[in-house]
Structures are given as C-alpha cells and as structure tokens.
Amino acid sequence: MTVRHTIRVENCGDHFTCPEGEGVLQAMEKQGRSSIPVGCRSGGCGRCRVEVTDGAFKAGPMSRRHVSEAEGGQALVLACRIYPRSDLTIRLATPAFRTAVEK
Amino acid sequence: MAIQGVLRPGYVQLRVLDMEAALVHYRDRIGLDVMMTDDDGLVYLKAYDEFDHHSIILREAPETGMDFMGFKVASEEALDAFARSLRAAGVPVDEIPADEGRYLGRRIGFLAPTGHRFELFASMGRSNACPMIDNPELWHAEPRAMRAQRFDHCLLYGDDIDGTMDIFCRLLGFVLTEQVVAPDGTVIAAFLSCGMKAHDIALVRHEEKGKLHHVSFLLENWNDVGHAADIMSRYNMSVDIGPTRHGITRGQTIYFFDPSGNRNEVFAGGYTFYPDHPVRTWSTDEVGKAIFYYERALNDRFMTVVT
C-alpha cells in the first residue's frame, strides 16, 4: 500500500493527499483540485512555483530560470517536481500570485 | 511559383533538463530518429520524411527553452545576399564555417529584436535515412510512435515582435498570412510564411525576450492526431490542450509538453497560402476561436506558459 501524505496550501486552506513518489501538482490535478496553477507539469515553465514551509520531499529536475540552486536550498521549488516524504505545508510563490499580492 | 530565398524552417536547438527523458519523448513518443550524438553531447534527430540530416537538436542544460532556429535558403548566393541585406539594415551578422562532422554547410546568424537567435544555411548533408528517391516507397520502415513527418514551425514569444516581423518580411522575404490585432491597432500575434504553408514562424507579443511557446511537428492527417492523443494518454504525457483545431491556419492540433516543459505541437492540415492572398485578421474579442476553434476560448496557459 502506497503511503499518502497530506499537502496543505497555506494561502487558501486547500488540502489534498499525494502518494509518496508522485508529483504534488499531478496528485492535485488527479483529485480535481486547482489551488496551485498548472503549467507544463515538467519543471520548465515556473507556473507552479511554491515555497515549502514545512515537511520533507525529494525534488526532480527544474529549470534554473525559475528555481536557482540557492532557492532550491530555501525550499522554493516547482510543485510538479517535488515528491513528498512527509506531510507538506506549502505557500504559493508563482510570479502571478506575487503580482496579485503586491496589488 | 518557384520558391526562392528562404525555403523553410530547417532546424531548432532546444535545451532539455534530462537528455534520457528527452530522448524517450522525441524518439519513442514523437517518433523521430536519432542521427548522431556529437562530442559535446548534443543529440541530432530528424523525422522520417525529411531529406536533410537533422531538424531537431537537443542540448542538456540547467535551463529550458530554445537556443536558436535555423532556416534553409535556396543557394549559397542567396545566403550571401541575405547577409548583405541584413548588414545594410544595421543587423549584426555572424558567420559560422561549414562543419562536416555535423553535416552542416556554412551558416550566418543574427539576434532578432525579440531576443531570439536565427540562423540561415544553404546546405546540409543527407543521411541514409532520408526518404527514397528512386522508385520511392512511402518509407524505409513504417513510421513509429506519433509518425511525425517533419519539423514544421515554431511559435516564439518576445517583446518587440514588430522589429522581428520587419526583419522577416522586409529582409528575408516572408509574408504575413494572418494576425491578431488589438482595438488600438497593436499586433498581438503574427503568422509569417516563406512559402505556401499558412505559417513557417509565428510571433506573439510578450513582456520577456527570447521565449519559446512551441515547436511543431506535422502529422499526415486528423486520424494521426487522434493516434498521437492515444499515445499521450497511454504514457501519461503532459497535455496542454487538444485534440482541437486552430481558427488561425485551420490546423488540427494537440499542444503538449516535453519532459523539460518545452511545449510541442503535433498537427495536420492548414490551408495553402499563395503570395497574392490577403492578410486574414482576427480581433481580440474573437481570439478564443482564433487560437482554439472548438473551445472558443483561450486556456490560461496559452498566454503565460513559455520556456
């Protein structure tokens, strides 16, 4: 039986589960949720950028344009390329979201 | 009509995050053939119905997107003439000598006002895998996977599309076939042809320079578009939208993403363009139909997701 972790999105209070080894964004989409913006789902476009504020995860390849190596260390990542190892709490960090907040 | 000057898109070089994953995608899903890997690790591929040695070049890099796009021109003389007219118009042009190891003749290159690098070349070697010419069978072996026939065009996003359009139309002989125009007269999207296709390159106005929206591959017909959709579901590939149709160009299409997030398109159809045809214009209030004819609305990824 695959372990499922709970993903909490701080901004909107949404939460959903994600099987260990599956991408957070992919798990969200499968459950019909939409709290994180969906782009290429492949680590390239940066649309699903989030900050992980709590929890452990494994990361796959992500374009350096959207996640610098330093930022990766600070847990700024793309939701399509993180695979939870525990429950996660995340905060949206997409360019679109930042613009909305600044307004 | 004889096509002179620029003949067609020849190649595009893409940056991918993971070469192994990229090869599964371009070779085993889209159905391109790997022609060679060079000493720098770049991988050269082509579609089964292309004569020239390669059309897609993959480079593993930490950032995704497009390095450059190359167009084939009719002759070495045409290449020299383009270098002269670009320079006369104040566009800096660099020259790259022929490279037999990579099957390439000499090239000229320039940076367009949208931040994209373009190259022109007149000759490229052929390979044993090129289509037959004597009593030509349809193919050497039946096409694999999505059965892509050729690399067809790119849609690129950048800020100064007026400047890039000016170079393509005034200096390189392209013709504007179709456009999306805002109420204030600003061209938001432009589709340019160098031959008889509805487009060989398309440009969309966007705040950042040098972005790639998609690299497109031609399929034989609508049935093959359906077959491609079957493959995308079978292998859980990341689909953007489709199968659907574009109002612009009338192509029947699927947008999807490679494993690094670069958008691809497979499409069939599209109208034949003759140089005496008028420009077809869409207004922004009908842009949904212009881009996705069946949905009649843009998805939010169309304007925002680029690499």
Side-chain angles (χ1 to χ4, degrees):
Chain A
M1 182 86 184
T2 313
V3 183
R4 297 185 77 93
H5 300 297
T6 299
I7 313 299
R8 285 190 180 74
V9 185
E10 276 186 17
N11 311 71
C12 56
D14 187 28
H15 58 90
F16 53 89
T17 62
C18 179
E20 190 153 307
E22 193 166 317
V24 164
L25 190 76
Q26 287 80 351
M28 178 200 79
E29 271 198 295
K30 263 191 200 171
Q31 291 163 63
R33 313 302 278 262
S34 56
S35 44
I36 309 169
V38 177
C40 70
R41 308 181 190 88
S42 307
C45 76
R47 195 148 157 78
C48 65
R49 194 159 72 160
V50 296
E51 184 185 349
V52 179
T53 54
D54 188 44
F57 59 87
K58 232 177 73 181
M62 297 177 267
S63 182
R64 195 69 57 79
R65 178 176 287 271
H66 305 293
V67 182
S68 71
E69 273 179 308
E71 285 177 337
Q74 290 163 16
L76 210 51
V77 291
L78 304 182
C80 66
R81 284 289 197 230
I82 57 166
Y83 313 97
R85 287 182 151 162
S86 72
D87 290 352
L88 295 181
T89 306
I90 62 178
R91 184 185 293 161
L92 299 184
T94 62
F97 179 74
R98 285 182 167 175
T99 308
V101 169
E102 282 160 18
K103 280 177 188 170
Chain B
M1 181 196 94
I3 298 176
Q4 298 168 341
V6 179
L7 302 179
R8 62 167 178 276
Y11 53 74
V12 61
Q13 181 164 310
L14 298 174
R15 297 186 296 271
V16 298
L17 301 174
D18 175 342
M19 186 61 80
E20 274 315 303
L23 285 175
V24 168
H25 177 88
Y26 287 98
R27 178 191 60 209
D28 302 341
R29 305 290 177 251
I30 295 180
L32 306 183
D33 294 316
V34 173
M35 304 308 296
M36 65 176 272
T37 302
D38 73 13
D39 296 340
D40 300 322
L42 276 66
V43 180
Y44 297 72
L45 305 99
K46 82 170 197 69
Y48 79 87
D49 214 22
E50 291 175 313
F51 285 95
D52 282 347
H53 179 262
H54 60 263
S55 57
I56 300 292
I57 309 154
L58 302 176
R59 179 169 77 87
E60 194 170 85
E63 242 182 56
T64 53
M66 183 186 91
D67 281 335
F68 49 77
M69 179 182 184
F71 290 89
K72 191 169 193 182
V73 306
S75 63
E76 298 296 334
E77 293 72 34
L79 193 59
D80 289 330
F82 284 128
R84 279 195 300 274
S85 49
L86 285 162
R87 285 183 177 129
V91 181
V93 174
D94 58 272
E95 305 205 18
I96 310 169
D99 182 346
E100 283 181 22
R102 293 177 177 80
Y103 294 79
L104 282 161
R106 71 192 175 97
R107 287 148 284 161
I108 64 169
F110 65 93
L111 191 67
T114 41
H116 300 95
R117 176 177 167 80
F118 294 103
E119 296 183 353
L120 303 176
F121 68 102
S123 66
M124 185 189 279
R126 286 186 186 167
S127 75
N128 296 334
C130 79
M132 296 183 197
I133 49 176
D134 295 324
N135 301 318
E137 302 282 0
L138 297 180
W139 13 258
H140 294 277
E142 57 274 29
R144 292 171 293 108
M146 294 186 200
R147 308 192 277 252
Q149 294 186 307
R150 66 163 184 250
F151 159 50
D152 190 86
H153 65 268
C154 289
L155 169 54
L156 305 176
Y157 275 37
D159 52 355
D160 184 8
I161 65 170
D162 310 297
T164 297
M165 257 168 69
D166 187 57
I167 288 178
F168 274 82
C169 294
R170 199 164 51 82
L171 304 177
L172 302 180
F174 283 63
V175 179
L176 179 67
T177 62
E178 207 151 352
Q179 61 184 347
V180 180
V181 180
D184 69 357
T186 309
V187 175
I188 291 168
F191 297 76
L192 311 178
S193 179
C194 61
M196 295 183 64
K197 289 154 56 188
H199 61 337
D200 289 291
I201 183 170
L203 301 164
V204 166
R205 197 179 296 278
H206 179 75
E207 58 202 9
E208 283 174 288
K209 280 190 187 291
K211 308 306 281 184
L212 170 70
H213 186 274
H214 72 259
V215 170
S216 183
F217 300 93
L218 180 71
L219 304 183
E220 191 161 359
N221 52 43
W222 182 227
N223 207 51
D224 272 3
V225 176
H227 178 62
D230 294 341
I231 290 170
M232 290 178 207
S233 280
R234 167 63 183 86
Y235 294 103
N236 293 313
M237 295 167 66
S238 177
V239 174
D240 183 0
I241 191 167
T244 182
R245 190 167 196 162
H246 296 308
I248 295 174
T249 74
R250 301 186 190 156
Q252 298 156 322
T253 176
I254 309 173
Y255 282 159
F256 58 110
F257 296 99
D258 81 6
S260 301
N262 297 305
R263 193 187 276 94
N264 292 163
E265 173 183 51
V266 286
F267 83 104
Y271 56 76
T272 302
F273 173 76
Y274 286 90
D276 65 324
H277 286 180
V279 179
R280 299 164 205 232
T281 299
W282 296 81
S283 55
T284 40
D285 58 342
E286 289 292 332
V287 74
K289 262 191 175 176
I291 305 298
F292 300 127
Y293 197 66
Y294 298 155
E295 292 77 7
R296 294 170 242 164
L298 294 187
N299 62 358
D300 62 352
R301 284 187 286 270
F302 185 80
M303 293 305 290
T304 54
V305 173
V306 291
T307 55

